Amino acid sequence: NLLGAKSSTTVTGSDNTVNVSQTGPAGSNGFDSTVAITGSSNTVGVTQSGTVDSKVNLATSGSNNTISITQGN
């Protein structure tokens, strides 16, 4: 892809886990992931894959959440 894979993570709190996986050629705009967490003991997983562009913009507040996002083809 022309723009590649981009990922940005902002965390306010403690004991948070964020995993971002971006694999594959994507499209001309690539993969883009923005994760903002306010709170503690959260687990976030983002998987972007395949041959199409994908964009994730996640903002969450609170504690003890588990969030999984999968995009691809």
Side-chain angles (χ1 to χ4, degrees), residues 6-12 16-22 32-38 42-48 55-61 65 67-69 71:
K6 299 178 284 182
S7 180
S8 172
T9 303
T10 305
V11 177
T12 303
N16 292 292
T17 302
V18 178
N19 292 306
V20 177
S21 173
Q22 297 170 315
D32 190 353
S33 173
T34 302
V35 177
I37 299 173
T38 302
N42 295 290
T43 302
V44 174
V46 176
T47 301
Q48 296 172 294
K55 184 172 187 172
V56 170
N57 189 2
L58 171 69
T60 184
S61 63
N65 296 298
I67 300 169
S68 296
I69 298 171
Q71 295 177 316

